PDB file of all heavy atoms in Angstrom:
ATOM      1  N   VAL A   1     124.100  88.052  81.948  1.00 98.00           N
ATOM      2  CA  VAL A   1     123.619  89.316  82.513  1.00 98.00           C
ATOM      3  C   VAL A   1     123.074  89.027  83.909  1.00 98.00           C
ATOM      4  O   VAL A   1     122.129  88.251  84.057  1.00 98.00           O
ATOM      5  CB  VAL A   1     122.526  89.942  81.627  1.00 98.00           C
ATOM      6  CG1 VAL A   1     121.968  91.212  82.268  1.00 98.00           C
ATOM      7  CG2 VAL A   1     123.065  90.232  80.227  1.00 98.00           C
ATOM      8  N   SER A   2     123.661  89.619  84.916  1.00 98.00           N
ATOM      9  CA  SER A   2     123.215  89.374  86.292  1.00 98.00           C
ATOM     10  C   SER A   2     122.020  90.254  86.611  1.00 98.00           C
ATOM     11  O   SER A   2     121.756  91.255  85.941  1.00 98.00           O
ATOM     12  CB  SER A   2     124.350  89.650  87.283  1.00 98.00           C
ATOM     13  OG  SER A   2     124.795  90.995  87.178  1.00 98.00           O
ATOM     14  N   ARG A   3     121.272  89.892  87.636  1.00 98.00           N
ATOM     15  CA  ARG A   3     120.151  90.732  88.060  1.00 98.00           C
ATOM     16  C   ARG A   3     120.234  90.974  89.565  1.00 98.00           C
ATOM     17  O   ARG A   3     120.632  90.097  90.334  1.00 98.00           O
ATOM     18  CB  ARG A   3     118.809  90.122  87.665  1.00 98.00           C
ATOM     19  CG  ARG A   3     118.476  88.777  88.251  1.00 98.00           C
ATOM     20  CD  ARG A   3     117.074  88.354  87.773  1.00 98.00           C
ATOM     21  NE  ARG A   3     116.670  87.054  88.261  1.00 98.00           N
ATOM     22  CZ  ARG A   3     116.829  85.918  87.610  1.00 98.00           C
ATOM     23  NH1 ARG A   3     117.419  85.925  86.424  1.00 98.00           N
ATOM     24  NH2 ARG A   3     116.420  84.771  88.129  1.00 98.00           N
ATOM     25  N   HIS A   4     119.853  92.186  89.933  1.00 98.00           N
ATOM     26  CA  HIS A   4     119.968  92.638  91.310  1.00 98.00           C
ATOM     27  C   HIS A   4     118.708  93.427  91.649  1.00 98.00           C
ATOM     28  O   HIS A   4     118.192  94.176  90.820  1.00 98.00           O
ATOM     29  CB  HIS A   4     121.214  93.510  91.474  1.00 98.00           C
ATOM     30  CG  HIS A   4     122.446  92.875  90.897  1.00 98.00           C
ATOM     31  ND1 HIS A   4     123.244  92.024  91.614  1.00 98.00           N
ATOM     32  CD2 HIS A   4     122.979  92.942  89.637  1.00 98.00           C
ATOM     33  CE1 HIS A   4     124.239  91.594  90.843  1.00 98.00           C
ATOM     34  NE2 HIS A   4     124.101  92.149  89.646  1.00 98.00           N
ATOM     35  N   PHE A   5     118.240  93.268  92.882  1.00 98.00           N
ATOM     36  CA  PHE A   5     116.976  93.871  93.275  1.00 98.00           C
ATOM     37  C   PHE A   5     117.188  95.012  94.261  1.00 98.00           C
ATOM     38  O   PHE A   5     118.009  94.922  95.178  1.00 98.00           O
ATOM     39  CB  PHE A   5     116.049  92.820  93.892  1.00 98.00           C
ATOM     40  CG  PHE A   5     115.594  91.789  92.892  1.00 98.00           C
ATOM     41  CD1 PHE A   5     116.209  90.544  92.828  1.00 98.00           C
ATOM     42  CD2 PHE A   5     114.565  92.073  92.002  1.00 98.00           C
ATOM     43  CE1 PHE A   5     115.802  89.595  91.896  1.00 98.00           C
ATOM     44  CE2 PHE A   5     114.146  91.132  91.073  1.00 98.00           C
ATOM     45  CZ  PHE A   5     114.767  89.890  91.019  1.00 98.00           C
ATOM     46  N   VAL A   6     116.446  96.066  94.033  1.00 98.00           N
ATOM     47  CA  VAL A   6     116.322  97.176  94.972  1.00 98.00           C
ATOM     48  C   VAL A   6     114.836  97.358  95.241  1.00 98.00           C
ATOM     49  O   VAL A   6     113.995  96.767  94.559  1.00 98.00           O
ATOM     50  CB  VAL A   6     116.941  98.475  94.412  1.00 98.00           C
ATOM     51  CG1 VAL A   6     118.429  98.309  94.182  1.00 98.00           C
ATOM     52  CG2 VAL A   6     116.229  98.897  93.113  1.00 98.00           C
ATOM     53  N   THR A   7     114.497  98.164  96.232  1.00 98.00           N
ATOM     54  CA  THR A   7     113.097  98.429  96.535  1.00 98.00           C
ATOM     55  C   THR A   7     112.861  99.931  96.581  1.00 98.00           C
ATOM     56  O   THR A   7     113.518 100.642  97.337  1.00 98.00           O
ATOM     57  CB  THR A   7     112.691  97.820  97.895  1.00 98.00           C
ATOM     58  OG1 THR A   7     112.977  96.422  97.901  1.00 98.00           O
ATOM     59  CG2 THR A   7     111.202  98.027  98.153  1.00 98.00           C
ATOM     60  N   LEU A   8     111.954 100.419  95.745  1.00 97.00           N
ATOM     61  CA  LEU A   8     111.472 101.791  95.849  1.00 97.00           C
ATOM     62  C   LEU A   8     109.949 101.722  95.807  1.00 97.00           C
ATOM     63  O   LEU A   8     109.369 101.264  94.819  1.00 97.00           O
ATOM     64  CB  LEU A   8     111.975 102.677  94.716  1.00 97.00           C
ATOM     65  CG  LEU A   8     111.541 104.143  94.863  1.00 97.00           C
ATOM     66  CD1 LEU A   8     112.363 104.837  95.948  1.00 97.00           C
ATOM     67  CD2 LEU A   8     111.651 104.912  93.552  1.00 97.00           C
ATOM     68  N   HIS A   9     109.316 102.126  96.889  1.00 96.00           N
ATOM     69  CA  HIS A   9     107.856 102.102  96.958  1.00 96.00           C
ATOM     70  C   HIS A   9     107.308 103.322  96.208  1.00 96.00           C
ATOM     71  O   HIS A   9     107.299 104.434  96.731  1.00 96.00           O
ATOM     72  CB  HIS A   9     107.388 102.094  98.411  1.00 96.00           C
ATOM     73  CG  HIS A   9     107.688 100.822  99.130  1.00 96.00           C
ATOM     74  ND1 HIS A   9     107.634  99.585  98.510  1.00 96.00           N
ATOM     75  CD2 HIS A   9     108.051 100.569 100.419  1.00 96.00           C
ATOM     76  CE1 HIS A   9     107.939  98.629  99.384  1.00 96.00           C
ATOM     77  NE2 HIS A   9     108.192  99.202 100.546  1.00 96.00           N
ATOM     78  N   VAL A  10     106.860 103.080  94.994  1.00 93.00           N
ATOM     79  CA  VAL A  10     106.412 104.151  94.109  1.00 93.00           C
ATOM     80  C   VAL A  10     105.166 104.804  94.690  1.00 93.00           C
ATOM     81  O   VAL A  10     104.215 104.126  95.072  1.00 93.00           O
ATOM     82  CB  VAL A  10     106.100 103.604  92.699  1.00 93.00           C
ATOM     83  CG1 VAL A  10     105.914 104.761  91.720  1.00 93.00           C
ATOM     84  CG2 VAL A  10     107.199 102.654  92.235  1.00 93.00           C
ATOM     85  N   GLY A  11     105.154 106.145  94.750  1.00 86.00           N
ATOM     86  CA  GLY A  11     104.033 106.876  95.314  1.00 86.00           C
ATOM     87  C   GLY A  11     103.080 107.401  94.257  1.00 86.00           C
ATOM     88  O   GLY A  11     103.402 107.447  93.063  1.00 86.00           O
ATOM     89  N   ALA A  12     101.888 107.808  94.683  1.00 72.00           N
ATOM     90  CA  ALA A  12     100.888 108.357  93.765  1.00 72.00           C
ATOM     91  C   ALA A  12     101.332 109.682  93.170  1.00 72.00           C
ATOM     92  O   ALA A  12     100.768 110.144  92.173  1.00 72.00           O
ATOM     93  CB  ALA A  12      99.551 108.531  94.476  1.00 72.00           C
ATOM     94  N   GLY A  13     102.349 110.310  93.750  1.00 69.00           N
ATOM     95  CA  GLY A  13     102.873 111.545  93.194  1.00 69.00           C
ATOM     96  C   GLY A  13     103.391 111.369  91.777  1.00 69.00           C
ATOM     97  O   GLY A  13     103.503 112.343  91.026  1.00 69.00           O
ATOM     98  N   THR A  14     103.694 110.123  91.401  1.00 68.00           N
ATOM     99  CA  THR A  14     104.170 109.862  90.043  1.00 68.00           C
ATOM    100  C   THR A  14     103.110 110.205  89.007  1.00 68.00           C
ATOM    101  O   THR A  14     103.412 110.416  87.847  1.00 68.00           O
ATOM    102  CB  THR A  14     104.615 108.384  89.907  1.00 68.00           C
ATOM    103  OG1 THR A  14     105.295 108.196  88.670  1.00 68.00           O
ATOM    104  CG2 THR A  14     103.419 107.445  89.921  1.00 68.00           C
ATOM    105  N   PHE A  15     101.824 110.223  89.413  1.00 63.00           N
ATOM    106  CA  PHE A  15     100.749 110.549  88.489  1.00 63.00           C
ATOM    107  C   PHE A  15     100.478 112.043  88.389  1.00 63.00           C
ATOM    108  O   PHE A  15      99.721 112.475  87.521  1.00 63.00           O
ATOM    109  CB  PHE A  15      99.439 109.878  88.934  1.00 63.00           C
ATOM    110  CG  PHE A  15      99.501 108.374  88.965  1.00 63.00           C
ATOM    111  CD1 PHE A  15      98.814 107.672  89.942  1.00 63.00           C
ATOM    112  CD2 PHE A  15     100.224 107.664  88.027  1.00 63.00           C
ATOM    113  CE1 PHE A  15      98.846 106.282  89.976  1.00 63.00           C
ATOM    114  CE2 PHE A  15     100.266 106.278  88.055  1.00 63.00           C
ATOM    115  CZ  PHE A  15      99.572 105.584  89.032  1.00 63.00           C
ATOM    116  N   LEU A  16     101.038 112.837  89.302  1.00 69.00           N
ATOM    117  CA  LEU A  16     100.679 114.247  89.361  1.00 69.00           C
ATOM    118  C   LEU A  16     101.331 115.030  88.232  1.00 69.00           C
ATOM    119  O   LEU A  16     102.526 114.867  87.954  1.00 69.00           O
ATOM    120  CB  LEU A  16     101.100 114.846  90.704  1.00 69.00           C
ATOM    121  CG  LEU A  16     100.414 114.272  91.947  1.00 69.00           C
ATOM    122  CD1 LEU A  16     100.937 114.960  93.192  1.00 69.00           C
ATOM    123  CD2 LEU A  16      98.900 114.417  91.850  1.00 69.00           C
ATOM    124  N   PRO A  17     100.576 115.898  87.575  1.00 71.00           N
ATOM    125  CA  PRO A  17     101.167 116.741  86.527  1.00 71.00           C
ATOM    126  C   PRO A  17     102.068 117.807  87.131  1.00 71.00           C
ATOM    127  O   PRO A  17     101.937 118.162  88.303  1.00 71.00           O
ATOM    128  CB  PRO A  17      99.936 117.367  85.861  1.00 71.00           C
ATOM    129  CG  PRO A  17      98.910 117.413  86.957  1.00 71.00           C
ATOM    130  CD  PRO A  17      99.146 116.178  87.783  1.00 71.00           C
ATOM    131  N   VAL A  18     102.994 118.289  86.316  1.00 84.00           N
ATOM    132  CA  VAL A  18     103.832 119.407  86.732  1.00 84.00           C
ATOM    133  C   VAL A  18     103.052 120.682  86.445  1.00 84.00           C
ATOM    134  O   VAL A  18     102.815 121.034  85.288  1.00 84.00           O
ATOM    135  CB  VAL A  18     105.175 119.400  85.979  1.00 84.00           C
ATOM    136  CG1 VAL A  18     106.011 120.618  86.375  1.00 84.00           C
ATOM    137  CG2 VAL A  18     105.934 118.108  86.270  1.00 84.00           C
ATOM    138  N   LYS A  19     102.625 121.378  87.491  1.00 85.00           N
ATOM    139  CA  LYS A  19     101.810 122.579  87.333  1.00 85.00           C
ATOM    140  C   LYS A  19     102.645 123.845  87.261  1.00 85.00           C
ATOM    141  O   LYS A  19     102.168 124.893  86.819  1.00 85.00           O
ATOM    142  CB  LYS A  19     100.801 122.671  88.474  1.00 85.00           C
ATOM    143  CG  LYS A  19      99.781 121.525  88.462  1.00 85.00           C
ATOM    144  CD  LYS A  19      98.778 121.674  89.592  1.00 85.00           C
ATOM    145  CE  LYS A  19      97.747 120.552  89.543  1.00 85.00           C
ATOM    146  NZ  LYS A  19      96.749 120.666  90.647  1.00 85.00           N
ATOM    147  N   ALA A  20     103.878 123.766  87.699  1.00 88.00           N
ATOM    148  CA  ALA A  20     104.748 124.947  87.667  1.00 88.00           C
ATOM    149  C   ALA A  20     105.159 125.262  86.230  1.00 88.00           C
ATOM    150  O   ALA A  20     105.182 124.383  85.358  1.00 88.00           O
ATOM    151  CB  ALA A  20     105.982 124.702  88.529  1.00 88.00           C
ATOM    152  N   ASP A  21     105.507 126.508  85.981  1.00 90.00           N
ATOM    153  CA  ASP A  21     105.989 126.908  84.662  1.00 90.00           C
ATOM    154  C   ASP A  21     107.474 126.618  84.498  1.00 90.00           C
ATOM    155  O   ASP A  21     107.964 126.497  83.376  1.00 90.00           O
ATOM    156  CB  ASP A  21     105.722 128.400  84.428  1.00 90.00           C
ATOM    157  CG  ASP A  21     104.234 128.723  84.358  1.00 90.00           C
ATOM    158  OD1 ASP A  21     103.466 127.877  83.847  1.00 90.00           O
ATOM    159  OD2 ASP A  21     103.849 129.814  84.820  1.00 90.00           O
ATOM    160  N   ASP A  22     108.174 126.542  85.632  1.00 92.00           N
ATOM    161  CA  ASP A  22     109.620 126.303  85.611  1.00 92.00           C
ATOM    162  C   ASP A  22     109.930 125.090  86.465  1.00 92.00           C
ATOM    163  O   ASP A  22     109.338 124.918  87.532  1.00 92.00           O
ATOM    164  CB  ASP A  22     110.369 127.534  86.139  1.00 92.00           C
ATOM    165  CG  ASP A  22     111.860 127.471  85.860  1.00 92.00           C
ATOM    166  OD1 ASP A  22     112.554 126.693  86.552  1.00 92.00           O
ATOM    167  OD2 ASP A  22     112.322 128.187  84.962  1.00 92.00           O
ATOM    168  N   THR A  23     110.853 124.254  86.008  1.00 89.00           N
ATOM    169  CA  THR A  23     111.184 123.042  86.754  1.00 89.00           C
ATOM    170  C   THR A  23     111.716 123.353  88.146  1.00 89.00           C
ATOM    171  O   THR A  23     111.544 122.552  89.070  1.00 89.00           O
ATOM    172  CB  THR A  23     112.222 122.203  85.986  1.00 89.00           C
ATOM    173  OG1 THR A  23     113.387 123.002  85.727  1.00 89.00           O
ATOM    174  CG2 THR A  23     111.652 121.702  84.662  1.00 89.00           C
ATOM    175  N   ASP A  24     112.350 124.512  88.332  1.00 89.00           N
ATOM    176  CA  ASP A  24     112.884 124.875  89.642  1.00 89.00           C
ATOM    177  C   ASP A  24     111.787 125.042  90.686  1.00 89.00           C
ATOM    178  O   ASP A  24     112.062 124.981  91.894  1.00 89.00           O
ATOM    179  CB  ASP A  24     113.688 126.179  89.555  1.00 89.00           C
ATOM    180  CG  ASP A  24     115.017 126.006  88.848  1.00 89.00           C
ATOM    181  OD1 ASP A  24     115.455 124.843  88.694  1.00 89.00           O
ATOM    182  OD2 ASP A  24     115.603 127.020  88.428  1.00 89.00           O
ATOM    183  N   ASP A  25     110.557 125.253  90.237  1.00 88.00           N
ATOM    184  CA  ASP A  25     109.452 125.501  91.161  1.00 88.00           C
ATOM    185  C   ASP A  25     108.630 124.248  91.454  1.00 88.00           C
ATOM    186  O   ASP A  25     107.639 124.325  92.189  1.00 88.00           O
ATOM    187  CB  ASP A  25     108.532 126.582  90.591  1.00 88.00           C
ATOM    188  CG  ASP A  25     109.249 127.916  90.407  1.00 88.00           C
ATOM    189  OD1 ASP A  25     110.105 128.229  91.258  1.00 88.00           O
ATOM    190  OD2 ASP A  25     108.973 128.609  89.410  1.00 88.00           O
ATOM    191  N   HIS A  26     109.019 123.120  90.880  1.00 87.00           N
ATOM    192  CA  HIS A  26     108.256 121.886  91.094  1.00 87.00           C
ATOM    193  C   HIS A  26     108.794 121.136  92.311  1.00 87.00           C
ATOM    194  O   HIS A  26     110.009 120.985  92.467  1.00 87.00           O
ATOM    195  CB  HIS A  26     108.325 120.974  89.868  1.00 87.00           C
ATOM    196  CG  HIS A  26     107.606 119.676  90.053  1.00 87.00           C
ATOM    197  ND1 HIS A  26     106.229 119.587  90.125  1.00 87.00           N
ATOM    198  CD2 HIS A  26     108.078 118.402  90.201  1.00 87.00           C
ATOM    199  CE1 HIS A  26     105.881 118.321  90.290  1.00 87.00           C
ATOM    200  NE2 HIS A  26     106.978 117.589  90.345  1.00 87.00           N
ATOM    201  N   ARG A  27     107.887 120.651  93.147  1.00 84.00           N
ATOM    202  CA  ARG A  27     108.276 119.878  94.329  1.00 84.00           C
ATOM    203  C   ARG A  27     107.947 118.405  94.114  1.00 84.00           C
ATOM    204  O   ARG A  27     106.813 118.037  93.862  1.00 84.00           O
ATOM    205  CB  ARG A  27     107.534 120.375  95.582  1.00 84.00           C
ATOM    206  CG  ARG A  27     107.888 119.603  96.862  1.00 84.00           C
ATOM    207  CD  ARG A  27     107.156 120.184  98.056  1.00 84.00           C
ATOM    208  NE  ARG A  27     105.724 119.937  98.005  1.00 84.00           N
ATOM    209  CZ  ARG A  27     105.149 118.845  98.528  1.00 84.00           C
ATOM    210  NH1 ARG A  27     105.879 117.920  99.117  1.00 84.00           N
ATOM    211  NH2 ARG A  27     103.845 118.698  98.467  1.00 84.00           N
ATOM    212  N   MET A  28     108.970 117.567  94.218  1.00 87.00           N
ATOM    213  CA  MET A  28     108.777 116.122  94.112  1.00 87.00           C
ATOM    214  C   MET A  28     108.290 115.571  95.452  1.00 87.00           C
ATOM    215  O   MET A  28     108.723 116.037  96.518  1.00 87.00           O
ATOM    216  CB  MET A  28     110.096 115.436  93.745  1.00 87.00           C
ATOM    217  CG  MET A  28     110.593 115.735  92.343  1.00 87.00           C
ATOM    218  SD  MET A  28     109.660 114.903  91.042  1.00 87.00           S
ATOM    219  CE  MET A  28     110.282 113.217  91.196  1.00 87.00           C
ATOM    220  N   HIS A  29     107.406 114.577  95.417  1.00 84.00           N
ATOM    221  CA  HIS A  29     107.006 113.883  96.630  1.00 84.00           C
ATOM    222  C   HIS A  29     108.051 112.808  96.949  1.00 84.00           C
ATOM    223  O   HIS A  29     108.533 112.110  96.058  1.00 84.00           O
ATOM    224  CB  HIS A  29     105.633 113.238  96.456  1.00 84.00           C
ATOM    225  CG  HIS A  29     104.505 114.223  96.546  1.00 84.00           C
ATOM    226  ND1 HIS A  29     104.094 114.973  95.459  1.00 84.00           N
ATOM    227  CD2 HIS A  29     103.719 114.597  97.584  1.00 84.00           C
ATOM    228  CE1 HIS A  29     103.096 115.764  95.821  1.00 84.00           C
ATOM    229  NE2 HIS A  29     102.850 115.564  97.099  1.00 84.00           N
ATOM    230  N   ALA A  30     108.387 112.699  98.220  1.00 90.00           N
ATOM    231  CA  ALA A  30     109.393 111.724  98.630  1.00 90.00           C
ATOM    232  C   ALA A  30     108.834 110.303  98.545  1.00 90.00           C
ATOM    233  O   ALA A  30     107.644 110.071  98.762  1.00 90.00           O
ATOM    234  CB  ALA A  30     109.857 112.009 100.054  1.00 90.00           C
ATOM    235  N   GLU A  31     109.705 109.367  98.224  1.00 93.00           N
ATOM    236  CA  GLU A  31     109.377 107.943  98.197  1.00 93.00           C
ATOM    237  C   GLU A  31     110.450 107.195  98.980  1.00 93.00           C
ATOM    238  O   GLU A  31     111.615 107.587  98.978  1.00 93.00           O
ATOM    239  CB  GLU A  31     109.310 107.430  96.753  1.00 93.00           C
ATOM    240  CG  GLU A  31     108.221 108.098  95.935  1.00 93.00           C
ATOM    241  CD  GLU A  31     108.373 107.868  94.435  1.00 93.00           C
ATOM    242  OE1 GLU A  31     109.505 108.014  93.928  1.00 93.00           O
ATOM    243  OE2 GLU A  31     107.373 107.553  93.774  1.00 93.00           O
ATOM    244  N   TRP A  32     110.041 106.110  99.631  1.00 95.00           N
ATOM    245  CA  TRP A  32     110.988 105.356 100.456  1.00 95.00           C
ATOM    246  C   TRP A  32     111.619 104.246  99.630  1.00 95.00           C
ATOM    247  O   TRP A  32     110.938 103.547  98.867  1.00 95.00           O
ATOM    248  CB  TRP A  32     110.282 104.748 101.664  1.00 95.00           C
ATOM    249  CG  TRP A  32     111.235 104.044 102.599  1.00 95.00           C
ATOM    250  CD1 TRP A  32     111.913 104.586 103.643  1.00 95.00           C
ATOM    251  CD2 TRP A  32     111.629 102.666 102.546  1.00 95.00           C
ATOM    252  NE1 TRP A  32     112.705 103.642 104.252  1.00 95.00           N
ATOM    253  CE2 TRP A  32     112.551 102.448 103.603  1.00 95.00           C
ATOM    254  CE3 TRP A  32     111.291 101.604 101.713  1.00 95.00           C
ATOM    255  CZ2 TRP A  32     113.134 101.207 103.838  1.00 95.00           C
ATOM    256  CZ3 TRP A  32     111.879 100.362 101.934  1.00 95.00           C
ATOM    257  CH2 TRP A  32     112.794 100.178 103.001  1.00 95.00           C
ATOM    258  N   GLY A  33     112.940 104.092  99.794  1.00 97.00           N
ATOM    259  CA  GLY A  33     113.636 103.043  99.061  1.00 97.00           C
ATOM    260  C   GLY A  33     114.807 102.498  99.834  1.00 97.00           C
ATOM    261  O   GLY A  33     115.268 103.090 100.820  1.00 97.00           O
ATOM    262  N   THR A  34     115.302 101.365  99.354  1.00 98.00           N
ATOM    263  CA  THR A  34     116.468 100.750  99.990  1.00 98.00           C
ATOM    264  C   THR A  34     117.333 100.034  98.958  1.00 98.00           C
ATOM    265  O   THR A  34     116.824  99.385  98.033  1.00 98.00           O
ATOM    266  CB  THR A  34     116.041  99.767 101.101  1.00 98.00           C
ATOM    267  OG1 THR A  34     117.203  99.225 101.735  1.00 98.00           O
ATOM    268  CG2 THR A  34     115.198  98.630 100.556  1.00 98.00           C
ATOM    269  N   VAL A  35     118.643 100.201  99.114  1.00 98.00           N
ATOM    270  CA  VAL A  35     119.653  99.450  98.374  1.00 98.00           C
ATOM    271  C   VAL A  35     120.475  98.718  99.419  1.00 98.00           C
ATOM    272  O   VAL A  35     121.120  99.351 100.259  1.00 98.00           O
ATOM    273  CB  VAL A  35     120.564 100.378  97.537  1.00 98.00           C
ATOM    274  CG1 VAL A  35     121.611  99.561  96.796  1.00 98.00           C
ATOM    275  CG2 VAL A  35     119.746 101.221  96.565  1.00 98.00           C
ATOM    276  N   SER A  36     120.435  97.413  99.394  1.00 98.00           N
ATOM    277  CA  SER A  36     121.126  96.639 100.427  1.00 98.00           C
ATOM    278  C   SER A  36     122.636  96.721 100.251  1.00 98.00           C
ATOM    279  O   SER A  36     123.134  96.983  99.141  1.00 98.00           O
ATOM    280  CB  SER A  36     120.689  95.178 100.371  1.00 98.00           C
ATOM    281  OG  SER A  36     121.218  94.547  99.211  1.00 98.00           O
ATOM    282  N   PRO A  37     123.405  96.480 101.322  1.00 98.00           N
ATOM    283  CA  PRO A  37     124.866  96.441 101.184  1.00 98.00           C
ATOM    284  C   PRO A  37     125.322  95.405 100.161  1.00 98.00           C
ATOM    285  O   PRO A  37     126.287  95.648  99.426  1.00 98.00           O
ATOM    286  CB  PRO A  37     125.339  96.078 102.596  1.00 98.00           C
ATOM    287  CG  PRO A  37     124.248  96.567 103.504  1.00 98.00           C
ATOM    288  CD  PRO A  37     122.977  96.353 102.742  1.00 98.00           C
ATOM    289  N   GLU A  38     124.607  94.271 100.096  1.00 98.00           N
ATOM    290  CA  GLU A  38     124.980  93.210  99.153  1.00 98.00           C
ATOM    291  C   GLU A  38     124.782  93.671  97.708  1.00 98.00           C
ATOM    292  O   GLU A  38     125.627  93.427  96.835  1.00 98.00           O
ATOM    293  CB  GLU A  38     124.155  91.950  99.427  1.00 98.00           C
ATOM    294  CG  GLU A  38     124.420  91.288 100.764  1.00 98.00           C
ATOM    295  CD  GLU A  38     123.752  91.994 101.937  1.00 98.00           C
ATOM    296  OE1 GLU A  38     122.876  92.865 101.711  1.00 98.00           O
ATOM    297  OE2 GLU A  38     124.129  91.700 103.096  1.00 98.00           O
ATOM    298  N   THR A  39     123.665  94.339  97.447  1.00 98.00           N
ATOM    299  CA  THR A  39     123.409  94.829  96.092  1.00 98.00           C
ATOM    300  C   THR A  39     124.397  95.925  95.716  1.00 98.00           C
ATOM    301  O   THR A  39     124.921  95.946  94.594  1.00 98.00           O
ATOM    302  CB  THR A  39     121.969  95.352  95.978  1.00 98.00           C
ATOM    303  OG1 THR A  39     121.064  94.253  96.126  1.00 98.00           O
ATOM    304  CG2 THR A  39     121.719  96.025  94.639  1.00 98.00           C
ATOM    305  N   ALA A  40     124.670  96.842  96.639  1.00 98.00           N
ATOM    306  CA  ALA A  40     125.636  97.905  96.361  1.00 98.00           C
ATOM    307  C   ALA A  40     127.002  97.313  96.018  1.00 98.00           C
ATOM    308  O   ALA A  40     127.644  97.724  95.035  1.00 98.00           O
ATOM    309  CB  ALA A  40     125.745  98.840  97.564  1.00 98.00           C
ATOM    310  N   ALA A  41     127.449  96.340  96.796  1.00 98.00           N
ATOM    311  CA  ALA A  41     128.756  95.717  96.548  1.00 98.00           C
ATOM    312  C   ALA A  41     128.776  94.998  95.202  1.00 98.00           C
ATOM    313  O   ALA A  41     129.771  95.073  94.455  1.00 98.00           O
ATOM    314  CB  ALA A  41     129.086  94.739  97.679  1.00 98.00           C
TER     315      ALA A  41
END
């Protein structure tokens, strides 16, 4: 089993509850990430 690394800097938004009644009304906070060309290949 091979292993490959990516980077996603997890934000504090992951702790926030969903306050909307419908999923269409929920706004996700953006997080920065990268998948290298080597990992993608």
Side-chain angles (χ1 to χ4, degrees):
V1 176
S2 59
R3 61 178 179 266
H4 311 272
F5 293 100
V6 297
T7 304
L8 183 75
H9 291 324
V10 192
T14 190
F15 299 145
L16 296 180
V18 177
K19 296 181 178 180
D21 294 326
D22 193 285
T23 57
D24 288 344
D25 298 324
H26 178 70
R27 180 178 69 90
M28 292 286 285
H29 283 84
E31 297 165 314
W32 184 89
T34 182
V35 179
S36 71
E38 294 78 13
T39 293

